């Protein structure tokens, strides 16, 4: 199948349509309108087969995860997503795979009112790059560098599920029944916390999404903000599926070091804790306080039942070349 036939059949006609897209797929460039009094947030992620997703993963889940990873980055900045572009590299065209891929792509973009506005398709190793763009009111963007000693550390949802799901798929963890399905589904279909990110504008002092594990991602906040943190591992939010599949200690290790949960870690000052509870109530997402920032630059101390805790793995996923 030729490139333009592929684009026309699978990507040109479907998906959500936005009024702020002047020209979408089909020309040399897309043309869009940025609303008045809004800043444009832009993020790009590349996912490579057998590095960021399993080569034999369902095509629907591959597209879903690729979009979710980018929307999660926007959520961590407090941005409302608007548009994505996609560069897709495939070794060969399999129409059934592409059809399922597009289903996953449009399922998530439709839910978040995001339009696919362009991109590229090439023959090569299986990989995809998505650039996502969204809007933030001036002065309300969330960053990693605004936290201060004394701020409280929160995390959304539950942690460690996606990592356990990956281990199940790779045969490293034997789980049966409903828990197996829940954990695998959390790996394949993560939920970007867009509503929480926008609700945290002007409330959170810093924010980051959990893509590489709580330890690794929290350390990015500590480094950027010049703070330390005391983290209580016995307060980490764990799902019933995870705690029924592994021991409490193993669940904690997954929560600390496994990536791909795409939850949000954010910090809130004592003065804003009341506003946090009010704002997040409308999102129907639970946020759990798991620690507090200190003045010890870059030092992350872990505690379990008020005693020092040493994790089996001191960091999460790290990119290497």
């Amino acid at each position: 199948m030729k490139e333009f036939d592929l684009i026309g059949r699978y990507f040109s006609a479907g998906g959500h349509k936005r009024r702020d897209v002047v020209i979408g797929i089909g020309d040399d460039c897309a043309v869009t309108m940025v609303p008045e009094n809004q800043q444009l947030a832009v993020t790009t992620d590349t996912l490579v087969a057998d590095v960021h997703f399993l080569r034999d993963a369902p095509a629907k889940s591959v597209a879903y995860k690729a979009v979710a990873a980018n929307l999660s980055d926007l959520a961590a900045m407090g941005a409302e997503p608007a548009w994505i572009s996609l560069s897709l590299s495939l070794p060969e065209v399999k129409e059934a795979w592409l059809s399922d891929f597009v289903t996953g792509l449009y399922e998530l973009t439709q839910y978040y009112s995001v339009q696919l506005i362009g991109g590229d398709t090439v023959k090569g190793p299986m990989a995809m790059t998505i650039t996502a763009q969204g809007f933030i009111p001036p002065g309300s963007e969330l960053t990693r560098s605004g936290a201060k000693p004394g701020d409280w550390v929160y995390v959304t949802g539950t942690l460690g599920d996606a990592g356990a799901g990956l281990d199940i798929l790779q045969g490293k963890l034997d789980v049966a029944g409903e828990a197996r399905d829940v954990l695998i589904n959390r790996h394949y279909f993560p939920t970007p916390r867009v509503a929480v990110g926008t609700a945290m504008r002007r409330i959170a002092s810093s924010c980051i999404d959990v893509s590489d594990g709580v330890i690794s991602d929290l350390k990015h906040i500590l480094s950027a903000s010049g703070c330390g943190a005391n983290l209580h591992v016995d307060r980490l939010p764990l799902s019933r599926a995870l705690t029924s599949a592994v021991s409490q200690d193993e669940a904690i290790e997954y929560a600390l070091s496994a990536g791909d949960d795409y939850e949000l870690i954010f910090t809130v000052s004592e003065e804003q804790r009341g506003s946090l509870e009010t704002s997040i109530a409308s999102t129907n997402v639970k946020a759990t306080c798991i620690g507090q920032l200190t003045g010890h630059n870059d030092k992350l101390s872990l505690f379990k039942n008020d005693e020092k805790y040493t994790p089996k793995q001191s960091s999460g996923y790290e990119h290497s070349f």
Side-chain angles (χ1 to χ4, degrees), residues 197-264:
T198 55
M200 288 300 97
R201 295 170 180 166
R202 305 186 189 279
I203 294 174
S205 54
S206 68
C207 189
I208 192 171
D209 71 330
V210 185
S211 55
D212 298 330
V214 166
I215 290 178
S216 289
D217 292 318
L218 179 55
K219 282 182 176 179
H220 291 312
I221 288 180
L222 302 185
S223 178
S225 296
C227 294
N230 292 332
L231 181 65
H232 298 270
V233 302
D234 47 306
R235 300 179 191 173
L236 293 169
L238 307 173
S239 70
R240 182 177 302 177
L242 183 60
T243 55
S244 69
V246 298
S247 70
Q248 186 77 8
D249 287 342
E250 289 172 318
I252 287 172
E253 290 296 324
Y254 274 116
L256 288 174
S257 301
D260 289 351
D261 283 315
Y262 295 105
E263 298 292 350
L264 296 180

Side-chain angles (χ1 to χ4, degrees), residues 34-158:
V34 178
E36 188 176 358
N37 296 322
Q38 294 285 325
Q39 298 176 138
L40 188 65
V42 183
T43 182
T44 300
D45 266 335
T46 298
L47 277 71
V48 179
D50 293 331
V51 177
H52 302 98
F53 63 90
L54 299 176
R55 187 176 299 273
D56 59 355
K60 179 180 177 181
S61 74
V62 173
Y64 196 103
K65 181 178 179 180
V67 175
N70 281 269
L71 298 191
S72 183
D73 283 338
L74 291 179
M77 295 290 292
E80 179 183 348
W83 318 305
I84 62 168
S85 57
L86 165 69
S87 178
L88 181 63
S89 173
L90 295 172
E92 60 181 324
V93 173
K94 295 181 179 179
E95 294 194 32
W97 189 95
L98 267 173
S99 180
D100 288 345
F101 180 88
V102 168
T103 297
L105 181 80
Y106 287 147
E107 183 176 300
L108 197 58
T109 54
Q110 186 76 38
Y111 182 83
Y112 288 103
S113 300
V114 172
Q115 182 172 340
L116 176 67
I117 60 172
D120 192 19
T121 55
V122 298
K123 184 175 182 178
M126 183 181 286
M128 59 215 62
T129 297
I130 287 183
T131 296
Q133 302 177 69
F135 309 134
I136 313 174
S140 63
E141 63 273 10
L142 299 172
T143 68
R144 304 175 183 182
S145 60
K148 293 179 173 57
D151 288 356
W152 298 94
V153 181
Y154 283 82
V155 66
T156 61
T158 58

Side-chain angles (χ1 to χ4, degrees), residues 167-178:
D167 278 357
I168 292 171
L169 291 167
Q170 293 181 321
K172 300 176 183 178
L173 181 63
D174 186 15
V175 181
E178 182 181 355

